[in-house]
Every structure is written in C-alpha cells, then in structure tokens.
Amino acid sequence: MASSPFDTIVAPITGNQPAAVAWVRLSGPDSWEIASKVFTNWPHTPESHRAVFGTYRHGDSGLALAFEEHHSYTGEEAVELSIHGSTASSRSLVELCLAEGARHADPGEFTLRAFLNGRIDLTQAEAVRDTVEARTETQLRAANLNRKGVLRRSVAQIRQDVLRILAMVEASVDFSEEIGELDHDAASLALAETIAQIDSLLRTADSGRILRKGYRVAIVGPPNAGKSSLLNALLGEDRSIVTEIPGTTRDYVEEQVELAGLPIVLIDTAGLRDTDDRVESIGIQRTCAIAANADVVWYLFDASVGWTPDDQAAIDRFDRPVHVLANKSDLANAEYGWPISALTRMGFERLFDSLSDLLDCDSGQPLINFRHQPLLLQARKSLSECLSSVSSYAPDDLLSVLLTDAAQHLGAITGETASPDMIERIFHDFCIGK
Ligand SMILES: Nc1nc2c(ncn2[C@@H]2O[C@H](COP(=O)(O)OP(=O)(O)OP(=O)(O)O)[C@@H](O)[C@H]2O)c(=O)[nH]1
Ligand SMILES: [Mg+2]
C-alpha cells in the first residue's frame, strides 16, 4: 500500500463526558509528529502498539499509544491519547492538535479511511456502526460476525463464482475455435448453485430486520385479562396503568425491552369489546391496527373467566401469528392456551424460549440488512434470467451482460463497485469519532 493520500485528522473517540477517562485519536501521516508536540514524554523512537505514560502540554496526563501505518484501525499512521474524561480536557487536547496542523475528523471519517485504505469493506463498516449501537446481546453477536468479515467473505465468494462463469462465457466467445462452445450444462449448474447461495443470504433478511428494529409483540385480548400487568411485569416497572376496572387502557403503550437477549418492542393495547364509548372504540381500532402490523400477537385471556366464543372470533380475525396465553393461571387452570401469570411470573420462561427460537444467531450465518437486500435481489434477477437464457441457447453476449450486471450488484454490497453516493450515505449515519 502506498503512503496515505490523506491529511491528519483528530477527534475524541469516546463519548458521554464527564467520565473517568476519554480517548482522542489522531490519524494520518503527521500523527506521530503532532503527538510529539502535544505530549511531553513522546519517545524518540516510538514503538507501534506500545503505550507510554506522560503529560500533555495542557497539563493533563495519560497514555499515548502509537500505531504505525498499515497496523492501525484506519490503516494510517495513528496515535490514541488518553486523558481524564472532562469536556475541558478533551476539547483543549483536540485544540492543541488542531494548532499543530491536524483537522477535525468528520463523522465516520476514521471508518471511511479504514474502508478507503482497504482495511475493511462496506459490510464491515456497517458492522462497526452496528457494534457501537448494539443494545442487546444478539445484536452484538450478529454485528461481531459481520465485523469479522463473515458476510464480506460470503458475498465475495458468490461474486467470484459469477465472475468465473462470466470468464467461461467470454472464453467461449473469444476462443470458440480453440475451446469450443460454452458448456451449457456446466454453466447452468454453476448458475443454479450461485442462485441458491444468494437465496440463503436473502432468507436472513427478516432476522436482520428484527434484530435492528426489534421484534414487535402486540399484547391483545379482552378487557381486564391482565395485558397491562404483563407489560409491566416484563418491563420490571409500572409503565401501564393497572386497575380491576375493565377498559382501563384506552390508548396503546409501546416500550423497547431486551428479552431472551433480543430487542423486543412490547405493545400494550386497549381491551377488545363492543363499546359505545367513543374514546375506547378509537383505542380498540388502534389495537386492531397494531395487531395487524405486529410480528406476533400474544392473545391474553383471563383463565378464571375461561375461553369464550368472542376470544375465538377475535383470534380468527388476525392474520398474524398468534400465541394464546391463559393469564391469571395462578387463580384457575386454563383449558386452553399457555398458562401464565403476570402476577407470579408463572410461564415466563416458556415465553422467553418462544422468543429465543426466533433468531438463530449461533449458526454463524451472517445477517443481511436493508441495503444489502435489494442488491442481492437484483443480482438474483440477472442470474435467473441468465439461467433461462443458457437453457434456451440465447446469444453468449446476452449472458455476458447479465453476469456483469449481477457482479456489479454484488460488488456494491462489499464496496468494490459501490457508487460514491452509496458510500456517502453509509458514512453519513456515523457520528464523530467513529
Ligand atoms: N390473580 C391475578 N390477577 C391479575 C393477573 N394479571 C392481572 N391481574 C389483575 O387483573 C386486573 C386487570 O389487570 P390489567 O393489567 O389492568 O388488565 P388489562 O388487560 O390491561 O385491562 P384493560 O386495560 O382494561 O383492557 C388487575 O386488578 C390486576 O391486578 C394475574 O396474573 N393474576
Ligand atoms: Mg390495560
């Protein structure tokens, strides 16, 4: 790799001050030079990856950690400087670096440089953002996989296969006399295998979405069944009003929570019943809309009242997956549904198990996101057109065009063929210091 074509940038890389410690990063060709001017104990011959304790020109003290070119986060010469985590200390250290010729880093610029210097691809850059933003264990596990390059390698492998088929097609056009016609059977087989690999990535789209946005669970049922009590018990706080009066919840209440290591959006709703009350009936309309958009409906009924024809009619209306929960099973044995109790937490383990079965993040399968999905679909479309063209002995030129198109879309996922616009959009979401 040639020496970095960029200038030297600086920014705090830790957030939420005040804190005990903060870190400021310099990256670019003059990093060590600038560090030697702001840090009084900078060694004459700095060693990469070795921290030195000392004092800064603004009086604070901390560790200076040098990274040589090709062996840093950005791939450039870099230094990470620790200080006490006050706003004043990090601001004044950044100012010292600016005075010595550094420039303020833009949001995401460290990671952008890592991408431009070939340290990571676009899926890994996105995974850096996902790692930093992870709120739950599963989000972190999925982000770790992609940060380590599991998705990058899958997509690169598929693209490699497409380029190999393209080379086969082009060779048969250019050297038909020497190597003969295209082997249609071999090409069809290779195309079908490539499409199957794309399909296996596409199947992870739902899990990827759930992991990012949260799995939406609508708690629905007749008044007084204990819906708000269940929400509160799962949240561990008194979020929804609970009374023995049927019709207590008028509007829905939505809360994010981590259950079974997963990001879950729990939505408590107004109890379903016929009513003349205008406010309550608007609430009930909302309940139906929420149930229609949920990933799953937890239909709660009161075990001490029993399962009624109205309950059956209600669940028949939902076209979402429904789990029937017999709440208040501490009072009576349910003849139907899963027995639970919002009061005693009976049956909660089973609820959590049903959630953890949703996402299999231990399989090592990388999850795709909403940017990758349309690109994979486009690549798939070109490849299946190519497959039918091979079967119908269409001209080889057409096959070349379709294969080139597929390779182009796959390359946009990892970044080789991504437009500057797409790259800009990805890093736009990052914050300063990433
Ligand atoms: N014994 C027992 N009582 C419960 C349980 N869950 C809720 N309750 C009681 O049932 C009553 C109604 O509970 P809520 O949580 O307000 O019921 P809801 O389904 O939200 O009712 P609406 O908002 O009116 O639709 C309250 O008095 C709760 O204390 C449970 O598992 N066991
Ligand atoms: Mg309620």
Side-chain angles (χ1 to χ4, degrees):
M1 199 194 322
S3 184
S4 168
F6 302 112
D7 54 355
T8 300
I9 50 175
V10 66
I13 53 172
T14 43
N16 282 344
Q17 284 150 351
V21 177
W23 286 87
V24 168
R25 181 190 282 146
L26 280 160
S27 179
D30 300 328
S31 299
W32 288 15
E33 173 73 23
I34 295 172
S36 73
K37 294 191 175 137
V38 303
F39 186 70
T40 48
N41 305 68
W42 186 256
H44 285 297
T45 43
E47 246 182 274
S48 190
H49 295 74
R50 180 168 289 249
V52 182
F53 183 77
T55 312
Y56 296 96
R57 250 174 42 207
H58 70 303
D60 199 356
S61 49
L63 295 170
L65 182 54
F67 296 90
E68 64 191 4
E69 200 183 359
H70 309 316
H71 298 282
S72 69
Y73 178 67
T74 56
E76 304 170 334
E77 181 181 291
V79 185
E80 291 180 6
L81 302 166
S82 85
I83 41 171
H84 290 96
S86 66
T87 326
S89 188
S90 65
R91 191 175 49 216
S92 109
L93 178 56
V94 167
E95 273 163 14
L96 284 175
C97 295
L98 295 175
E100 295 300 338
R103 169 175 69 71
H104 257 302
D106 289 333
E109 196 171 1
F110 292 117
T111 311
L112 174 64
R113 287 190 176 191
F115 167 67
L116 295 174
N117 290 322
R119 298 277 295 170
I120 55 172
D121 81 329
L122 284 184
T123 65
Q124 289 171 300
E126 290 171 310
V128 167
R129 188 192 55 208
D130 293 343
T131 308
V132 175
E133 290 174 359
R135 281 172 285 107
T136 67
E137 217 179 288
T138 7
Q139 285 172 324
L140 183 62
R141 236 179 301 150
N144 286 341
L145 270 186
N146 283 3
R147 218 185 56 256
K148 288 180 193 150
V150 179
L151 181 59
R152 172 191 193 162
R153 283 190 290 279
S154 291
V155 175
Q157 180 59 55
I158 298 172
R159 185 161 184 262
Q160 213 47 52
D161 292 344
V162 171
L163 292 173
R164 202 171 38 78
I165 307 170
L166 178 63
M168 214 160 99
V169 170
E170 287 182 341
S172 70
V173 174
D174 297 340
F175 310 104
S176 60
E177 309 233 315
E178 293 89 330
I179 62 166
E181 299 271 292
L182 174 68
D183 180 343
H184 283 73
D185 288 344
S188 297
L189 192 66
L191 280 165
E193 276 170 8
T194 313
I195 291 171
Q197 282 169 24
I198 292 184
D199 283 343
S200 123
L201 282 181
L202 279 168
R203 276 194 293 276
T204 69
D206 252 1
S207 303
R209 177 188 60 79
I210 290 170
L211 215 56
R212 279 176 189 90
K213 302 255 178 220
Y215 188 74
R216 294 180 72 79
V217 177
I219 308 175
V220 177
N224 231 24
K227 301 178 295 299
S228 303
S229 304
L230 179 63
L231 175 95
N232 291 347
L234 292 172
L235 287 179
E237 61 175 285
D238 275 344
R239 174 67 183 83
S240 261
I241 300 172
V242 169
T243 74
E244 67 296 344
I245 307 160
T248 302
T249 305
R250 296 293 190 99
D251 203 349
Y252 68 93
V253 174
E254 184 173 315
E255 285 293 332
Q256 293 256 6
V257 63
E258 177 177 350
L259 298 178
L262 289 171
I264 306 287
V265 181
L266 286 176
I267 315 152
D268 175 27
T269 62
L272 299 170
R273 65 170 168 184
D274 287 332
T275 175
D276 295 330
D277 185 303
R278 253 190 78 213
V279 179
E280 195 179 352
S281 60
I282 294 170
I284 291 171
Q285 279 169 26
R286 289 191 175 178
T287 300
C288 297
I290 282 159
N293 285 310
D295 290 304
V296 69
V297 174
W298 283 356
Y299 188 87
L300 217 69
F301 73 101
D302 185 333
S304 66
V305 171
W307 185 249
T308 67
D310 283 349
D311 292 319
Q312 188 59 49
I315 64 164
D316 288 345
R317 277 208 309 273
F318 301 128
D319 64 354
R320 309 299 306 148
V322 179
H323 289 330
V324 175
L325 307 179
N327 192 36
K328 307 195 193 179
S329 287
D330 53 299
L331 297 179
N333 279 333
E335 74 281 18
Y336 187 62
W338 295 1
I340 68 157
S341 165
L343 196 70
T344 66
R345 303 180 74 88
M346 156 191 183
F348 276 22
E349 279 310 313
R350 189 163 170 194
L351 278 185
F352 298 154
D353 288 347
S354 78
L355 292 171
S356 59
D357 288 347
L358 285 170
L359 284 186
D360 184 9
C361 287
D362 291 327
S363 64
Q365 168 82 325
L367 303 183
I368 62 167
N369 70 19
F370 49 84
R371 184 183 70 87
H372 312 142
Q373 190 183 21
L375 293 166
L376 283 170
L377 284 168
Q378 300 255 26
R380 191 196 191 285
K381 184 163 168 274
S382 302
L383 291 175
S384 41
E385 256 181 77
C386 189
L387 180 59
S388 27
S389 307
V390 169
S391 315
S392 62
Y393 288 78
D396 290 346
D397 288 357
L398 174 64
L399 307 184
S400 290
V401 170
L402 291 167
L403 289 164
T404 308
D405 186 72
Q408 166 82 23
H409 285 110
L410 292 166
I413 297 175
T414 47
E416 284 100 326
T417 60
S419 65
D421 217 33
M422 180 180 278
I423 295 169
E424 148 97 40
R425 253 179 290 133
I426 290 172
F427 289 95
H428 184 81
D429 284 352
F430 280 62
C431 51
I432 298 271
K434 268 196 238 159

